[in-house]
C-alpha cells in the first residue's frame, strides 16, 4: 500500500510540475474526478487527464478552515461574455493539465485574450511572480499590466480587481482546485472557497468568499 501511495504521488508531481505542496482538503477521488471530467459548459473543452490534489486555503491570520460542505451547483451562466474584453494575459500551465485548459476556455469565453504557454516547471513562474507557496494552484495567469491571477479565479473577480486594483496588491489567487470553481466543474458538486488577494509585501487577505455557485457569475 505504501509503495502504491508513493508511486501515485511521484506520478502526480511529474505531471503537475510540483506546484502543490499542501495537504488535501477534498476527498482525493472527488478532486481527481473533477479535474479529469469533460466540462460541457466550457468552450472547446476536451477531457482532462491530470490527477490533482487540492491544497489547503490559508488566510493571513492562519486560522483553521472548517470542513467544506459539498453542495449542488447549477451551470455557469455567461451573463457577461465580454467582462474581460481588452484584457490580454499569458497563462503558464502544464501541457497535460486538463482543468487548466478548461479555465483558459472559460476565461476566453468572457473576453480574455489569453495566450497559453506550456512550461516544464510552472513553479518557476510562480516564484518569478511572487505567488506565495500556500496560495498556489495549477496555473498562473499574468496580464500585460503585470497583475497575477493564480488558479481558477472567476472572471467576475478578475474584472472587478482590474477595474480598481488595490495599491498594495499584485493580484488574486484561488488556492488549490476547488470543485465547482471555473474550470473545475464536476457533475452537480460545489465546494465553497475563497478568492485571496496577493499583496506586494507577501501577505494575503480575503478578497471574496464564494459560498454558492451563483456568486461566481
Amino acid at each position: 500500500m505504501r509503495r502504491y501511495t508513493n508511486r501515485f504521488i511521484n506520478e502526480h508531481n511529474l505531471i503537475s510540475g510540483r506546484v502543490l505542496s499542501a495537504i488535501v482538503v477534498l476527498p482525493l477521488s472527488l478532486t481527481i474526478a473533477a479535474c479529469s471530467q469533460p466540462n460541457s459548459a466550457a468552450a472547446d473543452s476536451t477531457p482532462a487527464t491530470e490527477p490533482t490534489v487540492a491544497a489547503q486555503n490559508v488566510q493571513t491570520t492562519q486560522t483553521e478552515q472548517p470542513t467544506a460542505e459539498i453542495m449542488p451547483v447549477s451551470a455557469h451562466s455567461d451573463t457577461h461574455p465580454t467582462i474581460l474584453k481588452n484584457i490580454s494575459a499569458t497563462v503558464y500551465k502544464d501541457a497535460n493539465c486538463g482543468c487548466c485548459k478548461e479555465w483558459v476556455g472559460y476565461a476566453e469565453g468572457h473576453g480574455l485574450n489569453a495566450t497559453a504557454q506550456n512550461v516544464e516547471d510552472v513553479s518557476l513562474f510562480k516564484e518569478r511572480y511572487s505567488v506565495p507557496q500556500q496560495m498556489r494552484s495549477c496555473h498562473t495567469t499574468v496580464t500585460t499590466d503585470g497583475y497575477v491571477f493564480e488558479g481558477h479565479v472567476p472572471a467576475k473577480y478578475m474584472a472587478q480587481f482590474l477595474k480598481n486594483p488595490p495599491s498594495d496588491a499584485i493580484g488574486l489567487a484561488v488556492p488549490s482546485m476547488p470543485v465547482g470553481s471555473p474550470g473545475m466543474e464536476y457533475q452537480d458538486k460545489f465546494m465553497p472557497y475563497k478568492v485571496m488577494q496577493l499583496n506586494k509585501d507577501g501577505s494575503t487577505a480575503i478578497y471574496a468568499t464564494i459560498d454558492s455557485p451563483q456568486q461566481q457569475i
Side-chain angles (χ1 to χ4, degrees):
M1 179 65 181
R2 179 173 299 175
R3 288 184 300 175
Y4 174 84
T5 302
N6 290 337
R7 178 182 176 187
F8 176 85
I9 295 173
N10 291 335
E11 290 178 351
H12 170 266
N13 285 339
L14 179 62
I15 294 174
S16 64
R18 302 178 298 279
V19 300
L20 301 177
S21 61
I23 190 168
V24 295
V25 176
L26 285 176
L28 182 58
S29 59
L30 178 58
T31 307
I32 292 174
C35 198
S36 62
Q37 287 292 319
N39 177 9
S40 59
D44 300 326
S45 62
T46 56
T49 58
E50 180 196 29
T52 60
V53 294
Q56 182 180 15
N57 289 357
V58 179
Q59 302 177 20
T60 306
T61 58
Q62 298 295 322
T63 55
E64 183 177 357
Q65 180 178 343
T67 302
E69 177 184 0
I70 304 299
M71 61 181 66
V73 55
S74 56
H76 291 301
S77 172
D78 291 332
T79 53
H80 303 287
T82 60
I83 196 172
L84 296 177
K85 184 179 179 181
N86 299 325
I87 297 173
S88 298
T90 300
V91 183
Y92 299 99
K93 58 182 283 294
D94 186 277
N96 297 309
C97 180
C99 57
C100 296
K101 182 177 180 180
E102 296 289 354
W103 185 87
V104 171
Y106 157 84
E108 289 178 330
H110 285 76
L112 182 67
N113 180 15
T115 300
Q117 185 170 330
N118 295 325
V119 297
E120 291 185 2
D121 189 353
V122 292
S123 64
L124 296 178
F125 294 88
K126 299 176 190 303
E127 292 170 5
R128 176 184 298 179
Y129 294 106
S130 303
V131 180
Q133 187 71 36
Q134 71 272 21
M135 293 290 107
R136 296 183 181 184
S137 182
C138 50
H139 59 271
T140 301
T141 302
V142 183
T143 68
T144 53
D145 292 333
Y147 289 108
V148 181
F149 296 93
E150 177 72 8
H152 296 259
V153 181
K156 169 183 177 179
Y157 294 103
M158 289 181 64
Q160 179 177 302
F161 177 94
L162 292 171
K163 184 177 181 180
N164 186 25
S167 60
D168 59 341
I170 63 171
L172 301 176
V174 172
S176 55
M177 288 163 273
V179 173
S181 60
M184 280 294 294
E185 294 87 353
Y186 175 64
Q187 297 181 355
D188 62 346
K189 302 298 188 296
F190 176 79
M191 174 186 176
Y193 64 93
K194 290 177 173 57
V195 178
M196 304 297 293
Q197 178 176 307
L198 307 179
N199 296 321
K200 295 177 181 178
D201 62 2
S203 65
T204 61
I206 297 174
Y207 186 82
T209 299
I210 315 301
D211 292 321
S212 70
Q214 291 70 30
Q215 288 178 271
Q216 301 177 126
I217 300 173

